[in-house]
Amino acid sequence: MSVPDRAATFAALLAQSGLDPAEHDLAELQGAWERLTELLERFDSSELDDPERAAPLALFDPLRKP
Amino acid sequence: MTDLHWMPLAGLAALIAARKLGALELTDALIARAERLGEHYRCYLTPTFDLAREMARAADAEIARGRWRGPLHGMPVGLKDAFDTRGIRTTVASRLFADRVPDRDAFAVRRLLEAAAVLMGKLECTELCLGGPSLDGLVPHSVNPWAPERYAGGSSSGAAVALATGLLPAALGTDTGGSIRFPAALNGVAGFKPTYGLVSLGGVFPLSHSLDHAGPMARTSRDCALILDAIAGHDPDDPTSVRGAEPPRAAAALAAGDNRLDGVRIGHVVNFTEAEGVSPDARAATRAALAVLEDLGANVQEIALPDLMEFTVCNTTIMTSEAFALHGPAFRRRASDVAAFTRARIALGAFIRAEDYVRAQKNRRRLARATDAAMERFDALVYPGSLGAAGRIADVRPFYYLNLPLITAPANIAGVPASSVRAGFDAEGQPMAVQVTGRRFEDALVLRIAHSFETATPELDRRAID
């Protein structure tokens, strides 16, 4: 995705979420969002997402061993 | 009596129990110190000194009648301003809650009051438990007594600074990604994050329900154990509170024997110690601490857990999503009332997709399972308490944790007990710390190991100020 496209996508998401762009440092926020996206992709595990092999989602339960 | 303000809670409790020290005498001494130093270090957000004197008088009167409730009887304590207190404003250091006065106490606060502790006041924290350091919020950040130009850590910064400056012997903090242990490490005090579910979150400001923990802070791990014993317990009103868990009896585990650790198996998480971002001084302090633990009889071996950054990303994704879900509505209405760093960190939650959140929760189970598997061979794990010395405030960026790992996050992800223990100083005199973590509900063992290390290294006890 080109830089202007990424900025446009980001601005659209911001508007969707009900935040006022004037109240935020858009460049910083976009940088963080892109960095988090990059990290999520780096640690993505197909094992977690494969509908045939993935374990069902069970939220953390302190009484049960994971 | 001299230097009451530096005595550990355990020593003060013994004096009070023996009627050699009155709760009011102690409370007055700490109030006088707070009035002299508090403005400079800014750790009190809402002092409750009149109430404290009233509570101390009542505590003394009860002891005079022959009833001593335990080690916290008459003990001055401070609360991070994230714990609800009936009739006392609870702001989480945010303009969003500047006028909020709860009508009931948090469960952990009720437990402290049942133990006849003396409430000295509400302590500064970074805004909404995820902001800071900042000067543009409801209150400015607390001042690091070791170096005022450096960050005091967060989010339980006021508690850590109050302990490091001798303003309090005991405090409660909260910890979602390290908010007890991180400021404890940077200020050279003790902080303990209990097993998830052991200490109720009832009446505690929620940042991220599935990662939040409440726990004790003090100057020694033994004192943390005494506080933990008082606040742990099942709360039927809190769905995260564990029913049927054995009381930790952590203080008894410490008092039962000497500080030997013969037969205790400790895993050194070497890939955490060697992770990118961990300073040479933090690595050296960790290796020195492990050598002490070996001298105490522990069997130390190296192990590896998954990539530290993976724990960090998982923690950040869950915390940021849950924080935005909880606080998004108020935030949308009043974002301009929130300090710039807090505003940025909350706003990031608007962009995390549901599938990322679900994947992070699944990943959390995988990381917790890996931690459990590692713990099958060990009684405890040890690794650095922080990446290094406190950073300079001017250099802290809002999203520093997207570029460097949160070395405290793995214990939140796995829900395991974790102590931050002071472990010496770097070449510039800044505190270093190590973490000791254990199996879920083996909180007492973690605190015993931390206590053993502290008692074996009295030369590391240093004060930032007189």
Side-chain angles (χ1 to χ4, degrees):
Chain A
M1 200 184 289
S2 68
V3 172
D5 284 349
R6 284 209 308 273
T9 303
F10 180 77
L13 284 170
L14 192 76
Q16 262 179 27
S17 64
L19 299 180
D20 179 354
E23 292 180 319
H24 298 276
D25 181 336
L26 296 187
E28 185 167 66
L29 203 48
Q30 184 179 345
W33 172 59
E34 289 177 355
R35 172 67 176 154
L36 182 61
T37 302
E38 177 193 324
L39 290 168
L40 287 168
E41 284 169 6
R42 188 202 299 176
F43 295 116
D44 187 19
S45 165
S46 57
E47 172 201 337
L48 296 175
D49 297 328
D50 182 336
E52 290 183 10
R53 290 188 299 141
L57 173 67
L59 292 180
F60 192 72
D61 178 349
L63 281 181
R64 260 182 33 199
K65 289 210 168 196
Chain B
M1 204 169 292
T2 58
D3 279 1
L4 277 179
H5 53 275
W6 289 124
M7 284 190 72
L9 185 159
L12 294 168
L15 290 175
I16 290 173
R19 302 192 194 186
K20 292 178 179 170
L21 173 66
L24 183 59
E25 180 188 353
L26 173 59
T27 300
D28 277 337
L30 294 182
I31 290 173
R33 187 169 173 82
E35 287 174 343
R36 187 160 59 85
L37 299 173
E39 196 174 329
H40 178 73
Y41 291 105
R42 305 192 296 231
C43 26
Y44 274 109
L45 199 157
T46 305
T48 56
F49 295 157
D50 289 341
L51 173 66
R53 287 193 173 101
E54 198 180 303
M55 296 172 86
R57 281 190 200 96
D60 282 338
E62 193 172 18
I63 289 172
R65 292 195 299 272
R67 186 180 180 208
W68 181 71
R69 298 197 201 187
L72 295 189
H73 195 137
M75 194 61 58
V77 299
L79 305 171
K80 178 179 184 177
D81 203 29
F83 288 84
D84 279 357
T85 40
R86 184 164 60 94
I88 302 166
R89 73 173 185 151
T90 301
T91 69
V92 211
S94 178
R95 292 189 189 92
L96 298 183
F97 301 104
D99 303 316
R100 180 173 173 269
V101 179
D103 58 7
R104 64 181 308 200
D105 291 316
F107 180 88
V109 175
R110 291 205 298 277
R111 298 296 295 259
L112 287 180
L113 299 181
E114 286 162 14
V118 169
L119 177 57
M120 294 284 280
K122 308 300 288 292
L123 301 169
E124 180 271 343
C125 56
T126 60
E127 186 178 21
L128 303 178
C129 302
L130 91 163
S134 66
L135 298 172
D136 60 341
L138 176 67
V139 291
H141 56 78
S142 292
V143 175
N144 183 331
W146 296 93
E149 76 282 6
R150 293 176 187 256
Y151 188 26
S155 60
S156 307
S157 34
V161 171
L163 293 161
T165 52
L167 297 191
L168 286 170
L172 295 189
T174 65
D175 190 316
T176 304
S179 284
I180 286 175
R181 291 159 288 148
F182 179 44
L186 300 191
N187 287 279
V189 300
F192 183 72
K193 183 200 80 62
T195 296
Y196 185 80
L198 187 62
V199 174
S200 169
L201 295 173
V204 175
F205 174 80
L207 173 61
S208 167
H209 278 129
S210 74
L211 291 166
D212 290 342
H213 297 68
M217 300 175 73
R219 280 189 293 273
T220 70
S221 297
R222 184 182 181 196
D223 289 353
C224 285
L226 290 165
I227 303 165
L228 178 67
D229 285 347
I231 62 175
H234 178 59
D235 175 3
D237 294 330
D238 171 14
T240 71
S241 175
V242 173
R243 186 193 302 274
E246 288 294 313
R249 295 193 185 92
L254 272 57
D258 56 26
N259 69 351
R260 293 293 303 172
L261 295 173
D262 298 298
V264 174
R265 301 164 303 166
I266 291 177
H268 171 208
V269 187
V270 69
N271 64 311
F272 286 8
T273 303
E274 299 298 330
E276 183 185 354
V278 179
S279 76
D281 286 319
R283 290 175 183 158
T286 301
R287 294 191 186 280
L290 287 160
V292 171
L293 294 170
E294 270 191 314
D295 287 345
L296 289 169
N299 177 9
V300 177
Q301 291 182 39
E302 292 189 347
I303 63 151
L305 288 178
D307 190 316
L308 182 54
M309 203 63 200
E310 191 168 4
F311 283 96
T312 305
V313 174
C314 183
N315 188 280
T316 298
T317 305
I318 294 171
M319 178 193 74
T320 309
S321 305
E322 293 186 1
F324 193 78
L326 281 161
H327 305 297
F331 179 67
R332 285 189 188 95
R333 285 194 306 272
R334 298 183 57 190
S336 60
D337 285 340
V338 176
F341 278 19
T342 321
R343 200 183 317 154
R345 290 171 189 160
I346 292 181
L348 183 61
F351 304 102
I352 298 175
R353 300 169 304 176
E355 66 184 273
D356 294 326
Y357 176 77
V358 169
R359 192 175 290 137
Q361 286 287 6
K362 286 185 175 181
N363 210 21
R364 181 183 188 179
R365 293 189 72 79
R366 188 172 64 79
L367 294 169
R369 192 183 300 127
T371 306
D372 277 10
M375 290 298 302
E376 284 177 7
R377 290 192 294 128
F378 297 102
D379 301 304
L381 303 179
V382 169
Y383 47 93
S386 70
L387 298 186
R392 292 176 199 284
I393 291 168
D395 296 335
V396 179
R397 303 305 312 150
F399 294 108
Y400 65 87
Y401 48 85
L402 293 177
N403 294 310
L404 289 171
L406 287 173
I407 202 162
T408 42
N412 297 79
I413 290 293
V416 297
S419 266
S420 179
V421 191
R422 55 79 179 130
F425 298 86
D426 71 1
E428 295 181 341
Q430 297 303 303
M432 297 283 105
V434 293
Q435 284 181 84
V436 181
T437 73
R439 296 191 191 92
R440 279 185 288 284
F441 302 106
E442 294 192 3
D443 301 60
L445 176 59
V446 169
L447 284 163
R448 183 164 79 82
I449 295 168
H451 169 70
S452 292
F453 174 76
E454 288 170 350
T455 53
T457 54
E459 71 279 6
L460 301 183
D461 285 334
R462 234 185 264 175
R463 293 165 190 160
I465 60 171
D466 289 334

